[in-house]
Amino acid sequence: MGEGTEAMIFRQLFDSGSSTYSYLLADDGNALLIDPVLEQAGRDAALIGELGLKLLWTLETHVHADHITGASVLKELLGSRIAMSAAANATGADRVLRNGDEIEFGSRFLQVLATPGHTAGCLTYVLDDQTVAFTGDCLLIRGCGRTDFQGGSSAQLYRSIREKIFTLPDDSILYPGHDYRGLTVTSVREEKAYNPRLCLAKTEAEFAECMANLNLAYPKKIDVAVPANLNCGRELHRENSA
Ligand SMILES: [Fe+2]
């Protein structure tokens, strides 16, 4: 391992079709890509090539209901390996992740936090020095992921946020899985103060009541995206045999 003399590369990438953010991190030429989107795999592979990076791993924050992962296409294009939550019970991953695991890239690593509640297998990835965390759909900017599908639980989500994310340093920068209003980034301090569902002033009962009354539409792509993502974005007809 080198000493990380060059600055870490970091790019926030956006898919406008699903309002999904993907995140490219690299140190010493070794890259990770969090939550790649199938339709953007060509874009992402080109950028990784232009930056002269080797893509070690694609990481999923969870089994997405709104888009298909680009993990398998990137594996074919770039030889990257696929990591996702053990609790997702997916097939086709090269590595399954549990709370406390570390994913190394160059001289840096991400630590895995299990943050269930939006789905049963949701993960948050925290940079080694806790300056940055990638929260997926667990914590969104001034919001959070819904809890009415995929093993979701408002009680679990509340605990994940209060016990795992809000115990990071107040200055920790948080990057969400989506934003629908043009915001790109937040911090622990901001969400503790201003998240309308989960700020420190809200009780668990208030949060549960809020989540039970969202009256959200059935996710448009869930019936296609979830089966595909349970197979890491590979062909849908593959046997569920792992
Ligand atoms: Fe999600």
Side-chain angles (χ1 to χ4, degrees):
M1 289 292 164
E3 286 300 308
T5 46
E6 287 181 32
M8 198 182 77
I9 288 174
F10 173 66
R11 300 291 170 91
Q12 183 176 32
L13 302 158
F14 188 61
D15 173 60
S16 58
S18 61
S19 297
T20 297
Y21 288 123
S22 307
Y23 299 98
L24 178 68
L25 295 93
D27 185 64
D28 289 341
N30 295 296
L32 306 178
L33 183 59
I34 299 171
D35 285 342
V37 174
L38 178 63
E39 287 81 359
Q40 303 298 344
R43 175 200 68 184
D44 296 348
L47 176 62
I48 288 163
E50 287 161 6
L51 295 175
L53 303 174
K54 175 174 174 47
L55 184 62
L56 302 180
W57 293 101
T58 57
L59 309 174
E60 304 294 330
T61 56
H62 63 295
V63 174
H64 306 280
D66 58 355
H67 68 271
I68 296 174
T69 175
S72 284
V73 172
L74 288 164
K75 180 174 183 168
E76 273 174 35
L77 291 173
L78 302 177
S80 49
R81 289 173 292 169
I82 299 171
M84 67 184 313
S85 171
N89 291 317
T91 59
D94 298 293
R95 179 178 175 185
V96 291
L97 300 171
R98 294 180 173 83
N99 189 66
D101 285 353
E102 294 177 358
I103 305 129
E104 294 185 359
F105 61 108
S107 62
R108 309 298 302 263
F109 66 88
L110 293 179
Q111 186 163 56
V112 176
L113 290 185
T115 51
H118 167 60
T119 73
C122 281
L123 302 177
T124 290
Y125 298 105
V126 183
L127 190 60
D128 43 27
D129 60 5
Q130 297 197 326
T131 54
V132 175
F134 302 92
T135 56
D137 295 1
C138 176
L139 185 67
L140 302 174
I141 301 172
R142 310 296 189 263
C144 65
R146 63 196 296 172
T147 56
D148 52 345
F149 289 101
Q150 299 181 271
S153 156
S154 64
Q156 274 194 329
L157 185 57
Y158 188 85
R159 279 199 297 279
S160 291
I161 300 231
R162 289 302 179 92
E163 295 171 11
K164 298 281 185 70
I165 294 177
F166 282 2
T167 54
L168 294 169
D170 278 351
D171 290 331
S172 290
I173 296 293
L174 304 177
Y175 285 99
H178 302 279
D179 191 81
Y180 306 96
R181 300 186 298 145
L183 297 168
T184 54
V185 64
T186 184
S187 69
V188 170
R189 178 180 286 107
E190 278 175 65
E191 296 306 314
K192 280 179 174 175
Y194 301 120
N195 190 301
R197 298 178 185 172
L198 286 152
C199 66
L200 293 182
K202 294 285 181 187
T203 65
E204 182 171 348
E206 287 173 318
F207 179 64
E209 162 130 29
C210 165
M211 296 309 286
N213 291 291
L214 292 178
N215 298 315
L216 296 171
Y218 188 74
K220 279 192 221 92
K221 289 195 175 176
I222 190 169
D223 294 325
V224 173
V226 167
N229 289 329
L230 283 172
N231 207 0
C232 295
R234 294 186 299 177
E235 293 300 313
L236 298 180
H237 55 72
R238 277 185 58 93
E239 277 293 305
N240 211 21
S241 59

